Amino acid sequence: MLAGCASLSPDGGTADVQALVDGNPLMAGAAAQRKPDDASQQSVDALLAQPLDAEAAVRIALVNSPRVQDAFATLQLSDADRVQAASLPNPVLSFSRLAQGSEREFERMLTFNVVGLLTLPWQARWAGQRHEAAKLQAAQSVLLLAADTRRAWVRAVAAQQSVSYLRDAKEATEAGAELAHRMAKVGNWSALQRTREQLLLADASAQLARAEQAAVASREQLTRLLGLSGTRTAYTLPDRLPPLPKAAPELGDVQALALRDRLDVRSAQAQNTAVAGSLGLTHATRVINAMELGVVRNTTFENDADRSKSTTRGFELELPIPIFDWGQARSGRAEAQYLQSAARVRDVGVLAASEAREAWQGWNTAYALARRYRDEVLPLRKQVNEEMVLRYNGMLASVWELLGETRASMLAVNAGMEAQRDFWLADTDLQLVLTGSSPGGMTAAQTASAGDAPATGGH
Amino acid sequence: MNRRNFFAGAATAVAATTVSRVSMAALPEPVTQASTATAPPLVPPNGRPYNPVVTLNGWTLPWRMNAGVKEFHLVAEPVVREMAPGFKVNMWGYNGQSPGPTIEVVEGDRVRIFVTNKLPEHTTVHWHGQRLPNGMDGVGGITQPHIPPGKTFVYEFTARRPGTFMYHPHADEMVQMAMGMMGFWVTHPKAEHPLIEKVDRDFCFLLGSFDVEPGSATPKVNTMTDFNIWSFNSRVFPAIDTLNVRKGDRVRIRVGNLTMTNHPIHIHGHEFEVTGTDGGPVPRTARWPEVSVDVAVGQMRQMEFIADEEGDWSLHCHKAHHTMGPMGHDVPTMIGVDHKGVAEKIKKLVPDYMVMGDKGMADMGEMEMPIPDNTLPMMTGTGPFGSAEMGGMFTLLKVRRDQKPGDYRDPGWFKHPAGTVAREVSATGAPAAPRKTGTTPASPDSGSATVRKPSGHGAHNH
Ligand SMILES: [Cu+2]
């Protein structure tokens, strides 16, 4: 018997998925976990005890996030489908009791779908391929989660940093407004002059309030990805983003890299192979898609005086006669699905190459911008500030001009920090685009799998 | 002043980069001056004798006699004038300095002046106040073609009238004067003149104003009123030399105004009479005693007095902003504004911040805080009793009994005879005075106006 040749994988495919994402820079050595256990929860608590860096955030998300658990559950479903497909169809027992006057007839028949049995190896192989694709998709989910977590972490740290700069900027206007108030109080300034300074303060306060709200929002986004609740949400983030790397990495041909390594490309290819297999199956079964073979035992009770009964034995073969359905529709559908899946392989390929070019360009632009801020804008801004202090010292400029310059400085530092943030976001995008998936999510891959009804014999 | 430059022919000759040497060969060798120190009077080596003037922080241009004609050579060129140590300004001037050298001649002298233009644009020279042929008046486009860059023009006329004059361009005048092109001209009387006294000391200087953005070095030529550098002969106090005289000397001070506003020139400790203008000597009946004389725009005034009071007497423009260095005219008045709490807040954001101006601006004279490069402090200069809190158009008339005739050296600070310096009075040491009984005038503090300027430090907590 063929039954029992396929069995459910004990870890729900976790090890297989981990093998696919191992060594990916987005993972930074973290391991995805299907179900959080005590040990992993303790490690989460240990990580949360310190300011959370990007790697720790990824580590926590991969054991704790509902999203990764969802992905593994999906994978497990696919595993179940695979095992199901590789199992022998069950024989069908039918029993009938017929009465005519005093005559009774019992018919017992055990039927078996012969086509199902004959196509079992096809089905098993195809389901295996499908499961491989599902693993690739689960791996993409893991990488996307890692990327999303990194991005959320970058945004949360940046937003928190932004708040501190804007708080300084606001403090500068606050000092100006307070002095303006005292100027007016002793008669040195008019209401107009005082009000203008107060207006600046109102503006700076509004800007700070928006930044504070953005900080809360981005932190909550991170918290959700980390799957944290309760007191665990009180984790701390570092004060600043990591510094820029010294130089751009030598990547060679980024397009080739993306076409070779991207999981969604590999997933589309695996899907295509599976569809091709199912196309062959459909061709093989296009005319005869069902054949029932039954063993019949028919017992008739006469119920007359001698209470005689007679039993007949035999077999029954049920074979649909292809008069109306010659299988053109199923065959056409399978072919269309194959063409569709082939088109999607090309589509994902075009997408991957294009995204690789875009992300590489985006990385370089973000890197150049962030460096320009770090190496040019901020030093110049600092110099302007120092010159303004000298002018203030010489009574050539007022304290409001000094404070205004200070505020402008804080805004420039903030803009520089945003450039640094955008660099780290671009960096995550590039890593994902080259080795993982489309940064837009798994849209392409998901579309490729949607509506992918099993193209079996229609049973 | 290095006299060798004048007479030894070893003068720092103008490099003939833009001016052909051939065309220069027949001209008097131009003499140029690198020092901003006050040169000793140039005793005339030839021609009619006269009592030379002393140009404050300047010099007199030597000449050569050519068949009875005094020949001078002015070179209009870009110069770097040190207006104060550490404060150098890119100007346009003559023969290495701005203002250019003083030209001294005698009434009746035939004068020939070669003008070589080493500026990037054309120029002319107008001889302010002179009687001369119209074609020698130096108005570009009106009385003569402009002197193109690299060319030399010659002016020739007779110095007909004794007096105090100036020279300056009359071509792109606004720019060229804003850049410092100006010079003094003195025509001495050839004989005793009933209205022109013989004096022991004869000083001259031109009033100049420039707008130099703090931290920069070139005047803004488009400024019309908001200048920030006010100078005597393009020097600012305390970098201006003092007027050093012997007690009892008859002193003449000639002042010309080439700025765009008037300047009331005020001398302490003495009364003077205005004995001449650019129009000539003032009739005796028209003279009256003054301690200040307003020198209007484009005018010259000649003040004379006997320096009979010993001491260090201030001599300055009486417009208070003109005895200041660069200041922020948009800086609001901070007097009486309490910085408590706010100062700490600002210091957190600007660590070098210090509260200034809440008690007045005298802090500026005392606090030596770093200011932009190549920028004059707003007010500086220290005397024997502390900060002078002065800058710009300010100097001192130093009268000493032991100053030798002809000695123009600075004698140092005045040593006051005992009991002649204002001093603090202790409550018990105050001389008794009869007190009025009855209604006493209200003290300033009891009025409705609040007197905010505190008497000393400690009144503010910052
Ligand atoms: Cu003045």
Side-chain angles (χ1 to χ4, degrees):
Chain A
M1 290 301 282
L2 287 163
C5 74
S7 59
L8 290 168
S9 58
D11 66 347
T14 314
D16 293 337
V17 169
Q18 187 60 38
L20 283 169
V21 297
D22 254 350
N24 190 296
L26 289 170
M27 299 288 289
Q33 202 161 335
R34 186 160 63 110
K35 277 186 288 194
D37 53 17
D38 281 351
S40 68
Q41 288 309 301
Q42 275 167 16
S43 76
V44 165
D45 283 331
L47 290 170
L48 287 174
Q50 283 157 24
L52 199 62
D53 64 19
E55 281 64 38
V58 170
R59 227 169 269 260
I60 293 173
L62 288 182
V63 299
N64 217 37
S65 171
R67 246 173 68 179
V68 76
Q69 288 150 27
D70 186 326
F72 278 114
T74 308
L75 183 62
Q76 206 176 347
L77 286 174
S78 147
D79 195 33
D81 285 349
R82 174 184 65 88
V83 172
Q84 181 68 61
S87 303
L88 272 178
N90 288 329
V92 178
L93 176 71
S94 58
F95 176 84
S96 59
R97 177 182 176 277
L98 301 168
Q100 188 181 13
S102 59
E103 197 179 289
R104 300 286 181 272
E105 186 181 317
F106 293 95
E107 190 188 78
R108 284 146 292 185
M109 183 167 67
L110 189 66
T111 54
F112 197 80
N113 185 334
V114 180
V115 172
L117 182 65
L118 292 176
T119 62
L120 187 65
W122 286 86
Q123 301 243 24
R125 198 175 73 209
W126 176 73
Q129 284 165 340
R130 212 173 118 71
H131 185 57
E132 285 310 309
K135 280 185 204 163
L136 284 162
Q137 286 197 16
Q140 281 182 71
S141 295
V142 166
L143 285 183
L144 276 172
L145 176 65
D148 285 350
T149 306
R150 273 177 190 275
R151 282 190 287 236
W153 180 88
V154 166
R155 289 202 174 95
V157 173
Q160 175 189 281
Q161 220 178 331
S162 189
V163 165
S164 74
Y165 295 134
L166 292 176
R167 194 166 286 148
D168 280 355
K170 187 203 157 201
E171 248 173 58
T173 42
E174 218 165 43
E178 177 57 34
L179 265 189
H181 177 73
R182 296 186 194 179
M183 287 283 280
K185 203 169 77 183
V186 298
N188 295 10
W189 257 8
S190 66
L192 174 66
Q193 289 162 302
R194 182 199 65 207
T195 311
R196 282 207 172 116
E197 292 297 324
Q198 281 174 330
L199 208 54
L200 280 180
L201 175 59
D203 182 46
S205 306
Q207 215 171 343
L208 177 61
R210 275 196 287 270
E212 281 170 342
Q213 181 52 40
V216 169
S218 56
R219 189 187 163 95
E220 286 303 333
Q221 169 68 19
L222 176 63
T223 305
R224 285 196 288 278
L225 285 168
L226 296 176
L228 299 178
S229 58
T231 53
R232 275 178 156 187
T233 59
Y235 59 89
T236 58
L237 290 169
D239 291 339
R240 54 191 66 248
L241 291 171
L244 297 177
K246 295 231 183 317
E250 287 290 336
L251 289 180
D253 185 352
V254 290
Q255 300 180 65
L257 213 59
L259 289 174
R260 192 191 68 199
D261 291 353
R262 255 171 79 152
L263 296 178
D264 58 346
V265 174
R266 289 163 63 184
S267 172
Q269 284 163 342
Q271 293 261 6
N272 187 240
T273 311
V275 172
S278 75
L279 177 64
L281 174 67
T282 308
H283 276 305
T285 60
R286 66 179 279 203
V287 179
I288 299 168
N289 67 345
M291 183 167 67
E292 305 279 317
L293 185 64
V295 185
V296 184
R297 182 186 157 94
N298 202 354
T299 307
T300 310
F301 297 88
E302 294 294 337
N303 280 336
D304 49 10
D306 64 353
R307 303 190 71 81
S308 65
K309 62 172 185 179
S310 61
T311 299
T312 54
R313 289 185 179 84
F315 69 89
E316 183 188 295
L317 179 69
E318 185 186 302
L319 187 68
I321 301 164
I323 295 174
F324 308 110
D325 179 4
W326 284 82
Q328 305 100 312
R330 273 180 293 120
S331 183
R333 178 182 161 83
E335 267 171 27
Q337 276 180 335
Y338 177 73
L339 290 176
Q340 193 182 38
S341 122
R344 278 171 186 167
V345 172
R346 276 199 304 280
D347 188 29
V348 174
V350 167
L351 181 81
S354 161
E355 282 181 346
R357 291 192 300 269
E358 186 186 337
W360 178 234
Q361 186 59 43
W363 191 99
N364 279 300
T365 304
Y367 186 56
L369 261 173
R371 280 176 60 125
R372 177 145 301 194
Y373 265 97
R374 185 193 67 186
D375 300 339
E376 280 178 47
V377 177
L378 296 184
L380 290 173
R381 191 63 249 184
K382 185 163 174 277
Q383 217 178 321
V384 166
N385 252 36
E386 287 166 359
E387 287 293 329
M388 188 48 90
V389 170
L390 295 181
R391 286 183 147 244
Y392 170 79
N393 286 350
M395 285 195 186
L396 302 161
S398 76
V399 64
W400 287 272
E401 288 170 271
L402 185 62
L403 290 170
E405 216 57 75
T406 304
R407 185 181 172 207
S409 231
M410 294 307 166
L411 296 180
V413 173
N414 193 41
M417 189 274 307
E418 280 172 357
Q420 198 184 353
R421 173 199 66 191
D422 291 346
F423 165 76
W424 284 116
L425 292 177
D427 185 63
T428 305
D429 278 355
L430 180 65
Q431 305 292 3
L432 185 63
V433 153
L434 291 186
T435 59
S437 183
S438 172
M442 296 204 303
T443 333
Q446 279 160 352
T447 317
S449 65
D452 202 348
T456 58
H459 190 78
Chain B
M1 166 94 254
N2 188 347
R3 280 176 163 269
R4 205 182 50 192
N5 283 357
F6 280 140
F7 307 115
T12 326
V14 172
T17 45
T18 57
V19 181
S20 153
R21 251 199 190 285
V22 180
S23 69
M24 299 276 278
L27 311 182
E29 187 78 3
V31 184
T32 186
Q33 176 57 277
S35 165
T36 54
T38 303
L42 176 60
V43 178
N46 49 37
R48 292 192 183 98
Y50 62 83
N51 280 329
V53 298
V54 165
T55 307
L56 202 62
N57 292 103
W59 57 304
T60 290
L61 188 63
W63 63 88
R64 99 182 161 188
M65 292 299 290
N66 186 356
V69 179
K70 272 188 179 165
E71 286 185 341
F72 295 88
H73 192 167
L74 280 178
V75 179
E77 60 185 354
V79 302
V80 175
R81 172 75 172 180
E82 188 201 58
M83 297 195 78
F87 178 47
K88 292 183 175 173
V89 179
N90 300 326
M91 292 190 187
W92 289 355
Y94 299 94
N95 301 50
Q97 294 291 334
S98 163
T102 299
I103 293 176
E104 283 183 85
V105 299
V106 181
E107 182 186 1
D109 274 355
R110 186 72 183 165
V111 180
R112 188 178 295 134
I113 309 138
F114 298 93
V115 178
T116 297
N117 182 8
K118 289 187 69 186
L119 297 174
E121 68 167 353
H122 65 217
T123 188
T124 64
V125 184
H126 164 60
W127 315 97
H128 180 117
Q130 304 276 1
R131 292 277 183 148
L132 35 63
N134 186 231
M136 292 293 160
D137 199 35
V139 182
I142 300 289
T143 65
Q144 68 162 90
H146 297 97
I147 308 172
K151 300 290 182 198
T152 300
F153 274 38
V154 65
Y155 294 86
E156 188 168 335
F157 55 90
T158 300
R160 281 158 62 180
R161 162 165 102 66
T164 302
F165 308 102
M166 306 186 276
Y167 64 89
H168 62 81
H170 229 296
D172 195 10
E173 193 181 338
M174 181 197 90
V175 167
Q176 296 189 5
M177 282 173 48
M179 289 294 282
M181 298 198 72
M182 56 185 76
F184 229 92
W185 178 300
V186 175
T187 302
H188 296 279
K190 68 178 166 198
E192 277 196 24
H193 191 290
L195 295 175
I196 302 175
E197 255 71 38
K198 273 212 163 80
V199 294
D200 302 295
R201 313 257 175 174
D202 197 342
F203 297 95
C204 67
F205 56 88
L206 286 167
L207 304 172
S209 65
F210 302 92
D211 184 15
V212 183
E213 177 76 14
S216 76
T218 308
K220 292 201 254 180
V221 296
N222 292 326
T223 298
M224 181 149 177
T225 54
D226 200 5
F227 296 93
N228 58 12
I229 308 291
W230 304 95
S231 64
F232 289 169
N233 274 352
S234 305
R235 291 285 283 186
V236 287
F237 183 74
I240 303 176
D241 282 342
T242 50
L243 284 68
N244 312 313
V245 307
R246 179 185 175 87
K247 188 185 175 191
D249 274 353
R250 172 168 281 273
V251 178
R252 180 185 291 134
I253 298 173
R254 308 172 194 246
V255 181
N257 180 5
L258 282 175
T259 73
M260 288 199 261
T261 187
N262 62 316
H263 300 277
I265 299 297
H266 174 57
I267 301 179
H268 293 204
H270 297 81
E271 319 86 50
F272 56 78
E273 284 182 348
V274 175
T275 56
T277 71
D278 18 1
V282 177
R284 290 187 190 281
T285 51
R287 300 179 185 179
W288 62 59
E290 298 255 35
V291 294
S292 299
V293 60
D294 196 26
V295 187
V297 178
Q299 286 187 338
M300 319 212 67
R301 290 292 178 268
Q302 193 176 289
M303 297 95 91
E304 287 175 30
F305 58 96
I306 305 292
D308 51 6
E309 294 290 347
E310 275 194 293
D312 294 336
W313 303 108
S314 294
L315 190 172
H316 60 94
C317 172
H318 218 289
K319 286 188 175 175
H321 273 216
H322 296 182
T323 54
M324 293 279 160
M327 58 194 298
H329 289 139
D330 295 328
V331 175
T333 302
M334 303 295 294
I335 295 171
V337 177
D338 182 9
H339 281 63
K340 203 170 173 181
V342 184
E344 289 77 6
K345 203 174 234 177
I346 301 173
K347 229 175 162 59
K348 212 186 97 201
L349 299 164
V350 189
D352 294 337
Y353 172 78
M354 270 186 79
V355 175
M356 283 190 300
D358 59 329
K359 300 186 294 293
M361 289 196 187
D363 284 353
M364 263 313 291
E366 288 161 10
M367 291 194 287
E368 298 250 320
M369 309 223 330
I371 60 174
D373 281 348
N374 202 49
T375 298
L376 196 64
M378 191 170 109
M379 45 193 187
T380 177
T382 310
F385 300 103
S387 171
E389 294 153 12
M390 285 280 147
M393 292 175 165
F394 183 95
T395 187
L396 294 168
L397 171 72
K398 295 195 170 188
V399 184
R400 299 288 187 280
R401 69 180 69 212
D402 49 1
Q403 191 82 5
K404 298 274 184 299
D407 183 1
Y408 286 87
R409 281 175 304 177
D410 185 344
W413 294 112
F414 182 58
K415 291 174 191 65
H416 300 269
T420 64
V421 178
R423 60 194 185 281
E424 186 185 347
V425 181
S426 64
T428 51
R435 279 180 190 278
K436 264 190 193 165
T437 48
T439 53
T440 46
S443 79
D445 285 338
S446 65
S448 57
T450 312
V451 174
R452 281 185 252 103
K453 190 164 175 166
S455 53
H457 291 265
H460 284 269
N461 191 5
H462 51 67

